[in-house]
Amino acid sequence: MVVSDEVQTALHEGRGVVALETTIVVHGLPAPTNIEVASLCEDSVRESGCVPATIGVLGGKVVVGLSTQQLEILATPSLEAAKLSARDVGVAVALGRDGATTVAGTIAVAHRVGISVMATGGLGGVHRDAQVSFDESADLTALSRTSMLVVASGVKSILDIGATLERLDTLGVAVVGYRTNHFPGFYRSDSGFEIDWSVDTAREAAAVFLAHRVFSPTGVLLANPVATEAQLDAELHEQALASAFDVARKLGVSGKEVTPVLLAEFARFTAGLSVKVNRDLVIANARLAGEVANAVSHSQP
Ligand code: PSU
Ligand code: MN
């Protein structure tokens, strides 16, 4: 494992550090927006006074704090970087492979080096055909065993959101809205599902995380909705969803390919509008994660 000098120094000095994942860069967003979004997320974290730690695996080395150049290498299509969930990281290391980490893979690494906050776009969850496919993202089980706070705009709207919320409940993951009691719907600000808890400030979110971890080994999902002005039009969203499911069914995709295929069809169907929304929300999540990490670092002795 290689921890960049900047991240190592920040951790040593007890400064706030925010982990950022790379699956969204390599498998979630189209080029060249992907690299641009990754660096804007890093800028957002820095503006909050924290240090970003973008995580991925290059040639079997887990890198915490990828440089822009390393990120560009990881995102090169010909490299065919694998999508690494928590179970895959060790395998990729042992076999000397390249891979981008999902939320599950990222928190496994981040927690190990002492980072406690991460940001993403939308958490993975229970897929709509899960009663047949058993497809439930390992992001949920990873959060059920890792004491991390993840800032996300809810879970991706391609999922069964109600079922995902039930699983988060069963798994003991705390779900807290940021300035809302409505669970966000990723491309849409409101999924239509209510949540029990909300906080109004990053300091409150940090206090929730610090208290939660006294009583539970699980994580916290801080649900930050995309601004209503920035969300995808409701009707366009419904049409894009239908088209995405249609394409996935025709291609017969399963497993880790499902989410990237659905997101890519969203981008095609909406002529890039979904990419713009995804970009806006993940940058906002990185900023909020920075504010929370800052507050966490200031509340620790
Ligand atoms: N958020 C986004 N785009 C993405 C992801 C999150 O805006 O592509 C990625 C994350 O890495 C998350 C993964 O962990 O999607 C979920 O994949 P799956 O459904 O295969 O578990
Ligand atoms: Mn899956």
PDB file of all heavy atoms in Angstrom, residues 142-157:
ATOM      1  N   ALA A 142     -20.678  -3.660   3.305  1.00  0.00           N
ATOM      2  CA  ALA A 142     -19.410  -3.017   3.711  1.00  0.00           C
ATOM      3  C   ALA A 142     -19.703  -1.931   4.758  1.00  0.00           C
ATOM      4  O   ALA A 142     -19.007  -1.826   5.776  1.00  0.00           O
ATOM      5  CB  ALA A 142     -18.709  -2.417   2.497  1.00  0.00           C
ATOM      6  N   LEU A 143     -20.746  -1.146   4.518  1.00  0.00           N
ATOM      7  CA  LEU A 143     -21.098  -0.088   5.490  1.00  0.00           C
ATOM      8  C   LEU A 143     -21.601  -0.679   6.802  1.00  0.00           C
ATOM      9  O   LEU A 143     -21.557  -0.022   7.842  1.00  0.00           O
ATOM     10  CB  LEU A 143     -22.187   0.817   4.914  1.00  0.00           C
ATOM     11  CG  LEU A 143     -21.756   2.157   4.343  1.00  0.00           C
ATOM     12  CD1 LEU A 143     -22.968   2.950   3.885  1.00  0.00           C
ATOM     13  CD2 LEU A 143     -20.968   2.965   5.378  1.00  0.00           C
ATOM     14  N   SER A 144     -22.089  -1.917   6.745  1.00  0.00           N
ATOM     15  CA  SER A 144     -22.596  -2.536   7.975  1.00  0.00           C
ATOM     16  C   SER A 144     -21.466  -3.024   8.878  1.00  0.00           C
ATOM     17  O   SER A 144     -21.697  -3.383  10.020  1.00  0.00           O
ATOM     18  CB  SER A 144     -23.525  -3.701   7.640  1.00  0.00           C
ATOM     19  OG  SER A 144     -22.769  -4.833   7.258  1.00  0.00           O
ATOM     20  N   ARG A 145     -20.239  -3.051   8.341  1.00  0.00           N
ATOM     21  CA  ARG A 145     -19.124  -3.535   9.180  1.00  0.00           C
ATOM     22  C   ARG A 145     -17.978  -2.539   9.247  1.00  0.00           C
ATOM     23  O   ARG A 145     -16.922  -2.843   9.791  1.00  0.00           O
ATOM     24  CB  ARG A 145     -18.632  -4.899   8.678  1.00  0.00           C
ATOM     25  CG  ARG A 145     -18.175  -4.891   7.256  1.00  0.00           C
ATOM     26  CD  ARG A 145     -17.361  -6.102   6.847  1.00  0.00           C
ATOM     27  NE  ARG A 145     -16.886  -5.875   5.497  1.00  0.00           N
ATOM     28  CZ  ARG A 145     -17.460  -6.380   4.408  1.00  0.00           C
ATOM     29  NH1 ARG A 145     -18.489  -7.191   4.495  1.00  0.00           N
ATOM     30  NH2 ARG A 145     -16.974  -6.090   3.224  1.00  0.00           N
ATOM     31  N   THR A 146     -18.176  -1.338   8.695  1.00  0.00           N
ATOM     32  CA  THR A 146     -17.085  -0.370   8.670  1.00  0.00           C
ATOM     33  C   THR A 146     -17.546   0.967   9.225  1.00  0.00           C
ATOM     34  O   THR A 146     -18.523   1.544   8.743  1.00  0.00           O
ATOM     35  CB  THR A 146     -16.566  -0.174   7.220  1.00  0.00           C
ATOM     36  OG1 THR A 146     -16.476  -1.455   6.588  1.00  0.00           O
ATOM     37  CG2 THR A 146     -15.203   0.495   7.211  1.00  0.00           C
ATOM     38  N   SER A 147     -16.813   1.441  10.222  1.00  0.00           N
ATOM     39  CA  SER A 147     -17.183   2.705  10.854  1.00  0.00           C
ATOM     40  C   SER A 147     -16.693   3.877  10.020  1.00  0.00           C
ATOM     41  O   SER A 147     -15.611   4.413  10.233  1.00  0.00           O
ATOM     42  CB  SER A 147     -16.563   2.744  12.259  1.00  0.00           C
ATOM     43  OG  SER A 147     -16.922   3.950  12.875  1.00  0.00           O
ATOM     44  N   MET A 148     -17.491   4.228   9.009  1.00  0.00           N
ATOM     45  CA  MET A 148     -17.159   5.344   8.125  1.00  0.00           C
ATOM     46  C   MET A 148     -18.429   6.160   7.914  1.00  0.00           C
ATOM     47  O   MET A 148     -19.532   5.618   7.943  1.00  0.00           O
ATOM     48  CB  MET A 148     -16.746   4.830   6.738  1.00  0.00           C
ATOM     49  CG  MET A 148     -15.426   4.120   6.636  1.00  0.00           C
ATOM     50  SD  MET A 148     -13.992   5.201   6.387  1.00  0.00           S
ATOM     51  CE  MET A 148     -14.386   6.106   4.901  1.00  0.00           C
ATOM     52  N   LEU A 149     -18.260   7.451   7.655  1.00  0.00           N
ATOM     53  CA  LEU A 149     -19.394   8.270   7.235  1.00  0.00           C
ATOM     54  C   LEU A 149     -19.263   8.462   5.727  1.00  0.00           C
ATOM     55  O   LEU A 149     -18.216   8.908   5.248  1.00  0.00           O
ATOM     56  CB  LEU A 149     -19.400   9.613   7.959  1.00  0.00           C
ATOM     57  CG  LEU A 149     -20.568  10.532   7.557  1.00  0.00           C
ATOM     58  CD1 LEU A 149     -21.148  11.250   8.776  1.00  0.00           C
ATOM     59  CD2 LEU A 149     -20.161  11.558   6.502  1.00  0.00           C
ATOM     60  N   VAL A 150     -20.307   8.078   4.998  1.00  0.00           N
ATOM     61  CA  VAL A 150     -20.308   8.227   3.539  1.00  0.00           C
ATOM     62  C   VAL A 150     -21.331   9.287   3.150  1.00  0.00           C
ATOM     63  O   VAL A 150     -22.506   9.181   3.516  1.00  0.00           O
ATOM     64  CB  VAL A 150     -20.636   6.883   2.836  1.00  0.00           C
ATOM     65  CG1 VAL A 150     -20.698   7.071   1.317  1.00  0.00           C
ATOM     66  CG2 VAL A 150     -19.609   5.817   3.185  1.00  0.00           C
ATOM     67  N   VAL A 151     -20.862  10.303   2.430  1.00  0.00           N
ATOM     68  CA  VAL A 151     -21.776  11.318   1.910  1.00  0.00           C
ATOM     69  C   VAL A 151     -22.174  10.909   0.500  1.00  0.00           C
ATOM     70  O   VAL A 151     -21.316  10.701  -0.359  1.00  0.00           O
ATOM     71  CB  VAL A 151     -21.125  12.717   1.876  1.00  0.00           C
ATOM     72  CG1 VAL A 151     -22.133  13.753   1.377  1.00  0.00           C
ATOM     73  CG2 VAL A 151     -20.587  13.114   3.238  1.00  0.00           C
ATOM     74  N   ALA A 152     -23.481  10.758   0.263  1.00  0.00           N
ATOM     75  CA  ALA A 152     -23.988  10.370  -1.062  1.00  0.00           C
ATOM     76  C   ALA A 152     -25.363  10.981  -1.255  1.00  0.00           C
ATOM     77  O   ALA A 152     -26.045  11.303  -0.281  1.00  0.00           O
ATOM     78  CB  ALA A 152     -24.082   8.847  -1.163  1.00  0.00           C
ATOM     79  N   SER A 153     -25.758  11.134  -2.529  1.00  0.00           N
ATOM     80  CA  SER A 153     -27.097  11.672  -2.816  1.00  0.00           C
ATOM     81  C   SER A 153     -28.105  10.538  -2.791  1.00  0.00           C
ATOM     82  O   SER A 153     -28.797  10.271  -3.783  1.00  0.00           O
ATOM     83  CB  SER A 153     -27.090  12.394  -4.152  1.00  0.00           C
ATOM     84  OG  SER A 153     -26.167  13.460  -4.093  1.00  0.00           O
ATOM     85  N   GLY A 154     -28.142   9.854  -1.655  1.00  0.00           N
ATOM     86  CA  GLY A 154     -28.990   8.675  -1.520  1.00  0.00           C
ATOM     87  C   GLY A 154     -28.366   7.520  -2.273  1.00  0.00           C
ATOM     88  O   GLY A 154     -27.144   7.419  -2.394  1.00  0.00           O
ATOM     89  N   VAL A 155     -29.209   6.647  -2.785  1.00  0.00           N
ATOM     90  CA  VAL A 155     -28.726   5.529  -3.599  1.00  0.00           C
ATOM     91  C   VAL A 155     -29.170   5.783  -5.032  1.00  0.00           C
ATOM     92  O   VAL A 155     -30.102   6.546  -5.273  1.00  0.00           O
ATOM     93  CB  VAL A 155     -29.259   4.167  -3.086  1.00  0.00           C
ATOM     94  CG1 VAL A 155     -28.794   3.935  -1.666  1.00  0.00           C
ATOM     95  CG2 VAL A 155     -30.780   4.062  -3.176  1.00  0.00           C
ATOM     96  N   LYS A 156     -28.516   5.143  -5.979  1.00  0.00           N
ATOM     97  CA  LYS A 156     -28.835   5.416  -7.380  1.00  0.00           C
ATOM     98  C   LYS A 156     -30.303   5.077  -7.675  1.00  0.00           C
ATOM     99  O   LYS A 156     -30.825   4.081  -7.194  1.00  0.00           O
ATOM    100  CB  LYS A 156     -27.882   4.647  -8.281  1.00  0.00           C
ATOM    101  CG  LYS A 156     -26.493   5.299  -8.301  1.00  0.00           C
ATOM    102  CD  LYS A 156     -25.543   4.616  -9.255  1.00  0.00           C
ATOM    103  CE  LYS A 156     -24.793   3.493  -8.624  1.00  0.00           C
ATOM    104  NZ  LYS A 156     -23.819   3.863  -7.615  1.00  0.00           N
ATOM    105  N   SER A 157     -30.922   5.926  -8.489  1.00  0.00           N
ATOM    106  CA  SER A 157     -32.359   5.781  -8.741  1.00  0.00           C
ATOM    107  C   SER A 157     -32.679   4.587  -9.637  1.00  0.00           C
ATOM    108  O   SER A 157     -33.841   4.270  -9.851  1.00  0.00           O
ATOM    109  CB  SER A 157     -32.912   7.065  -9.347  1.00  0.00           C
ATOM    110  OG  SER A 157     -32.113   7.489 -10.428  1.00  0.00           O
TER     111      SER A 157
END
